[in-house]
Amino acid sequence: MLLLFDIDGTLLVRAADAHRRALHAGIEEVHGVQAPDDDIPTAGRTDLAIMRSLLLLCGVDARAIDDGVEATVSAACTAYARLCPPDLSQTVAPGVPEALAGLVAAGHTPALVTGNLEPIARLKLRRAGLGEWFASGPGGFGSDHEDRSELPALARRRAGDGRPVPREAAVVIGDTPLDVACAQADGVRCVGITTGPHPAADLAGADVVIDAMADLAGVLAAWHA
């Protein structure tokens, strides 16, 4: 089974401060405006969508945003490399390393479907001590598309051997309604997890909702049976 994990709120908790500051730094460097600290929802959204919303709030027009996307992404990733703490191991959600080890031993393939820009996602996981579980190729990232609903299909294509991993052989694991929505958009199953800001009721569209990563292996085994 191809397991498409979200990062923030799912694999890691309270690891977003440097990430937020890096997006703001990228916006300021390229567009010369200081983005507000709040006023927009961020949970489950892609970094491209978050930066667009912040820039629109600052009065930057849509064409300038589009023209500056590559430069803003590059500046944000460079800023994150500077701002990211050297050790994020304390942000790993309970039971995640043990769960990943067990899932791989059982023959599953972990990959990422995350709103993070890919360089930010990779560095964040390396510094949290989880980078070894996620191969450099497969995955869908916030730098691939502004719309998160496009990412599961992209991840399945990248993980396939010449053709996409079948929908029935993939599952999204995430902590927000947008994780659930992106799974539904691609027609793959979804496991919601309540380790992030959303209670189980908010994740009701998922096929299953769990409270801890340790519960995931049992869900997958039941589906297999």
Side-chain angles (χ1 to χ4, degrees):
M1 185 77 74
L2 178 65
L3 307 180
L4 302 174
F5 287 95
D6 171 55
I7 295 179
D8 295 297
T10 302
L11 297 173
L12 308 180
V13 292
R14 295 181 294 279
D17 181 62
H19 187 169
R20 177 188 59 79
R21 289 187 287 134
L23 298 187
H24 285 231
I27 285 171
E28 183 171 4
E29 178 178 330
V30 175
H31 293 278
V33 294
Q34 288 192 333
D37 282 332
D38 46 25
D39 296 332
I40 65 161
T42 59
R45 300 180 69 201
T46 65
D47 285 350
L48 290 179
I50 292 168
M51 290 191 292
R52 179 178 295 277
S53 293
L54 289 170
L55 285 164
L56 289 172
L57 277 177
C58 292
V60 180
D61 70 74
R63 181 168 182 174
I65 294 171
D66 291 338
D67 290 344
V69 164
E70 290 186 10
T72 308
V73 166
S74 178
C77 292
T78 298
Y80 187 72
R82 181 180 73 253
L83 295 168
C84 181
D87 183 1
L88 288 172
S89 59
Q90 76 283 358
T91 70
V92 176
V96 164
E98 298 84 357
L100 289 172
L103 292 165
V104 170
H108 301 294
T109 302
L112 297 167
V113 162
T114 173
N116 289 201
L117 302 172
E118 184 171 3
I120 290 178
R122 299 291 185 190
L123 179 57
K124 190 183 289 186
L125 289 180
R126 284 199 304 272
R127 298 213 172 158
L130 300 180
E132 65 181 295
W133 299 110
F134 297 93
S136 59
F141 301 88
S143 39
D144 291 320
H145 205 287
E146 191 169 319
D147 184 353
R148 192 184 186 111
S149 67
E150 300 289 334
L151 302 185
L154 176 60
R156 290 191 299 104
R157 289 197 299 273
R158 287 174 171 167
D161 184 15
R163 56 183 180 179
V165 170
R167 288 181 172 87
E168 62 271 19
V171 57
V172 169
I173 302 100
D175 70 297
T176 75
L178 289 177
D179 294 298
V180 178
C182 82
Q184 292 174 332
D186 190 41
V188 301
R189 286 179 287 194
C190 180
V191 175
I193 187 166
T194 58
T195 46
H198 290 276
D202 291 351
L203 307 174
D207 294 275
V208 176
V209 178
I210 59 177
D211 293 322
M213 196 61 71
D215 300 330
L216 179 58
V219 170
L220 298 175
W223 283 347
H224 181 71

